[in-house]
Amino acid sequence: MSATIIDGKAFAAKVREQVAEHVARLKAEHGITPGLAVVLVGEDPASQVYVRSKGKQTAEAGMNSFERKLPVETSEADLLAVVQELNADPAVHGILVQLPLPAHVNSDLVINAIDPAKDVDGFHISNVGLLGTGQKSMVPCTPLGCLMLLRDHLGSLSGLNAVVVGRSNIVGKPMAQLLLGDSCTVTIAHSRTKDLAAVCRGADILVAAVGRPEMIPGDWVKPGAVVIDVGINRIERDGKTRLVGDVDFASAVEVAGAITPVPGGVGPMTIACLLANTLTACRRANGLAEPEGLTA
């Protein structure tokens, strides 16, 4: 029996539509337009493509898009000054500093200089702490996207065993916190976990976020489990370059109850959730109710 394929591309399109509807109502009823500022330092090709895509989708949702492109030699002090300027701008509700930053810049210092209420990436230490203690925060986009996909497919997650493979600050740790918030029993596994295969086999929900191509084979998957594959790895096979996840899709799809493909699974949800976070930040800043179904 083949697993249900969770179509992240289609779901992300629905999220963007919902955001656009909320934005249109905000404009019509309150005269407010959410604004997202993206700061790019240097000319990393992958970052440039990503920033262009963010700008395009921000505009399509009816939001204001602000881009600050700075040369690679920009000093840490000058970058911090740009962040402070955006913090003070009432037209900007969300600020995202594109990572990675050049080696001479302290990324943690820059991220923690962003106003936590405008930190739509959810990386500020204050938002990390708020999420970890179950309080209202800005939530990292990729884990939020995973949570939305899980809720859509399963409904209630209460009481399910969830295993998150990977302990990064960007995905693994916040994903675990979100699953705890939805009353899952959560295990964070990693490269040093003893008998990782057995740990994975106990999961009703298996989230793979390790950045190692096809590391998790189908026989690590509990029959009927929901598999969320966060990995995006570029490999060469049969003389061609292709994208694969952290899960061996071909074997896992025969065992799982549902699975996200790579590409077309979690990836499209990240920018959709960035737009959702910007909308949430804007509504909070103006004392308005949060958009239902678009937050954790």
Side-chain angles (χ1 to χ4, degrees):
M1 190 181 76
S2 254
T4 299
I5 306 301
I6 297 174
D7 189 342
K9 194 173 178 184
F11 193 83
K14 270 177 29 184
V15 170
R16 292 197 307 272
E17 276 175 34
Q18 285 178 274
V19 170
E21 287 166 11
H22 276 286
V23 170
R25 283 205 299 276
L26 260 179
K27 289 178 180 178
E29 295 170 13
H30 302 281
I32 299 165
T33 303
L36 173 63
V38 179
V39 181
L40 176 63
V41 183
E43 296 181 2
D44 177 75
S47 292
Q48 286 183 318
V49 169
Y50 198 42
V51 166
R52 269 199 304 276
S53 181
K54 284 173 182 170
K56 181 172 176 283
Q57 291 189 36
T58 303
E60 285 172 356
M63 297 185 183
N64 289 328
S65 176
F66 307 98
E67 284 184 15
R68 300 295 293 269
K69 293 182 179 176
L70 306 172
V72 70
E73 63 272 12
T74 299
S75 71
E76 187 173 271
D78 286 347
L79 178 54
L80 288 169
V82 168
V83 169
Q84 293 304 340
E85 184 187 319
L86 295 171
N87 282 342
D89 188 342
V92 173
H93 301 98
I95 302 169
L96 182 149
V97 177
Q98 184 65 41
L99 301 175
L101 289 170
H104 67 275
V105 175
N106 182 331
S107 297
D108 289 339
L109 190 69
V110 173
I111 297 304
N112 288 319
I114 297 170
D115 178 347
K118 296 187 178 189
D119 167 40
V120 284
D121 252 344
F123 295 162
H124 191 288
I125 194 68
S126 294
N127 283 318
V128 173
L130 289 167
L131 178 61
T133 51
Q135 299 180 68
K136 190 183 290 185
S137 68
M138 296 307 302
V139 177
C141 302
T142 301
L144 178 58
C146 295
L147 184 70
M148 286 183 183
L149 292 174
L150 285 166
R151 284 174 173 172
D152 181 66
H153 183 74
L154 291 168
S156 171
L157 311 187
S158 181
L160 296 177
N161 285 328
V163 173
V164 180
V165 187
R167 51 179 166 176
S168 72
N169 292 331
I170 292 172
V171 179
K173 290 175 186 173
M175 187 76 247
Q177 296 291 355
L178 289 173
L179 290 164
L180 272 175
D182 268 29
S183 299
C184 290
T185 300
V186 182
T187 301
I188 301 178
H190 45 78
S191 59
R192 298 198 181 181
T193 298
K194 288 181 180 175
D195 202 351
L196 181 58
V199 172
C200 290
R201 286 189 200 108
D204 302 309
I205 296 168
L206 180 60
V207 181
V210 281
R212 288 175 60 183
E214 299 176 331
M215 175 187 150
I216 297 174
D219 66 2
W220 289 19
V221 177
K222 178 181 180 179
V226 179
V227 178
I228 303 292
D229 192 348
V230 183
I232 301 179
N233 309 287
R234 197 172 291 279
I235 64 163
E236 199 169 295
R237 182 173 290 156
D238 303 325
K240 293 180 181 175
T241 301
R242 57 179 298 194
L243 289 177
V244 299
D246 291 348
V247 176
D248 177 32
F249 184 85
S251 59
V253 76
E254 299 299 326
V255 186
I259 189 169
T260 57
V262 177
V266 173
M269 291 298 295
T270 300
I271 294 182
C273 288
L274 175 66
L275 301 179
N277 276 353
T278 303
L279 171 66
T280 298
C282 176
R283 291 188 68 88
R284 286 178 182 172
N286 287 281
L288 300 169
E290 293 185 12
E292 203 172 321
L294 296 175
T295 63

